[in-house]
Amino acid sequence: MSTATESPKTTADAPKNRGKAPAGERVADWADGRLGIYSLAKANMRKIFPDHWSFLLGEICLYSFVILILTGVYLTLFFVPSMAEVEYHGSFEPMQGLLMSEAYASALDINFEVRGGLLVRQIHHWAALIFVVGIFLHMFRVFFTGAFRKPREVNWLFGFLLLVLAIFTGLTGYSLPDDSLSGIGIRLMEAAILAVPVVGSYLQMFIFGGEFPGHDIIPRFFVTHVLLLPGIMLGLVVAHLILIVYHKHTHYAGPGRTNENVVGYPLLPVYMAKAGGFFFLVFGVITMIAATVTINPIWLLGPYRPDQVSTDAQPDWYLGFSEGLVRMMPGWEWVIPGGYTLNFGLLIPLAVFPAMLAVIGLYPFFESWVTKDKREHHIAQRPRNSPTRTGLGVAWLTAFGVTTIGGGNDLFAVHFNLSINAITWFCRIGFFVLPVLAFFITRRICMGLQRRDRDKVLHGRETGIIKRLPHGEFVEVHQPLPQDQLHVLTSHDQATPMEVGPETDENGVRRRINPVERVRARLSRTYYGEQAQIPKPTSEEYHEITSGHGHH
């Protein structure tokens, strides 16, 4: 018994009269045979993306990050990260002969001698600000719509880490020119490090390489800003996008939209064309802003000198709340046995600053624990349908706003002719009072919107037409809502609050209830209790009213 085998065909086996395939096709075949590009592309090029304007916030973040990488590479070619002292002899006449660091001198050269340097630097700085703005808005879009719920908790953490890294990348970035403003910011950071009990002085020596300002902080910030933090951020961006592809996008409620599908446009050709155009739109807007609005004019600030401090020095907006925490805090100090001084004026803000950020990062796990919701969610919620979560988000934004106002208390005092002490006390009191008020007011507004939705479902839309019935009663005519709007207003889930059960068992013996479970049940009622949601209209109520009984 013999067996037959088929040998791979060689080039000599091919028909001699067959023409060669085009070069591009041969390259594609070669790559596909080794990398499997065709099958990968076939599986992903038709991926569906929802078409809603709020999803563009994440794209603004991505495109701003790309712009930051491109402009950062260009600036790196000309920047000298050295604190060695030199005498300036560049083209900026007002500073001729001044002693300054090589970092500041090279930053001046980028502005006045490198072709396009000033524009690229302005684009880089504005893109950084818009990048952080985009992350904030994107995260709160995800927060208020509940898009962080299972299975997207890990992706939420990736986004949160991107926010934290973006803040510290911005800090190291605007500190590089070694101008007066950035030096004051570094000095504040050094003071905060020294406020850490026991180990503060060791941390300061480790980071700065000696007494402030030393000679190492600019080179170390340069490596951190150019290599370390962008590398980590790039990895997080890639992981974030991979999880988006794996989990698919959330989408808003509507006809035909379920937890099992995604309704939108395919990646190719529709979404890629729109995304490409939007990238150039973002790039163009940032360039236009950079070309017309000056930011951080270091040539007006002068080189940093430890003996010169400006009273109106302000950080970029995303660190304004940390500045406000310091300015709001009274200058309390304790001297404990052993000769250690606890500077609460910096130590407490140093603890509140990461705590305010950590609340954002850990919230999805807190809500999952409270509600015991382990289902997968792919439909985004309307903020009004989760009043407690929406109230907490607005409360956090209120606290952030109050501390940001505190960070600019001197500017508000000067420009609005107010007392700086009055502004400081307003911020101190408002930090504890206003978020609580914002929470309850927001929740009441959400409840009111739920009642309006319920009324629109049952009675329809007001038309403004008044009719008089035969017996003399005046009524307003309502127009029934179309089915797609009815679906949007009634498709959300309404869970019931968790109960710990009766206090006693069937034998009348008092049950031992875990205190943690009691707390969880009480928190659950704040999410799903009567005071947190309006019951959706049932189909029986709808049919009873629309059938003519009590309906005008």
Side-chain angles (χ1 to χ4, degrees), residues 355-506:
M356 288 185 65
L357 296 177
V359 166
I360 302 176
L362 299 178
Y363 179 83
F365 305 96
F366 169 77
E367 181 173 311
S368 176
W369 175 77
V370 169
T371 62
K372 288 190 173 182
D373 187 0
K374 305 301 180 183
R375 299 168 298 163
E376 288 195 2
H377 298 275
H378 302 288
I379 295 181
Q381 289 181 307
R382 303 173 78 200
R384 67 185 64 180
N385 292 330
S386 183
T388 298
R389 181 203 302 142
T390 303
L392 290 173
V394 174
W396 190 95
L397 289 174
T398 303
F400 181 85
V402 169
T403 52
T404 302
I405 293 174
N409 56 1
D410 52 344
L411 296 181
F412 283 102
V414 171
H415 292 290
F416 294 98
N417 196 26
L418 299 173
S419 166
I420 191 171
N421 291 326
I423 297 174
T424 301
W425 275 104
F426 166 80
C427 293
R428 287 174 178 173
I429 299 172
F431 182 74
F432 296 98
V433 175
L434 293 182
V436 177
L437 293 177
F439 171 78
F440 286 106
I441 292 174
T442 301
R443 197 163 73 159
R444 293 284 295 179
I445 292 174
C446 290
M447 297 283 287
L449 293 174
Q450 286 188 33
R451 290 188 181 93
R452 190 185 70 171
D453 289 346
R454 175 183 171 86
D455 186 69
K456 288 173 66 176
V457 170
L458 293 177
H459 300 283
R461 181 179 61 85
E462 297 178 356
T463 63
I465 301 174
I466 306 298
K467 284 188 175 182
R468 184 178 183 181
L469 300 181
H471 59 277
E473 179 185 1
F474 289 92
V475 297
E476 182 179 10
V477 177
H478 288 69
Q479 181 181 4
L481 297 179
Q483 287 299 318
D484 58 340
Q485 293 188 25
L486 287 174
H487 180 83
V488 170
L489 297 181
T490 59
S491 60
H492 59 282
D493 296 328
Q494 285 196 322
T496 56
M498 170 190 168
E499 299 293 341
V500 295
E503 295 289 335
T504 59
D505 59 19
E506 62 276 8

Side-chain angles (χ1 to χ4, degrees), residues 370-371 496-498 519-529:
V370 169
T371 62
T496 56
M498 170 190 168
V519 173
R520 180 186 291 185
R522 184 170 299 178
L523 291 173
S524 179
R525 286 194 293 272
T526 65
Y527 278 86
Y528 301 133

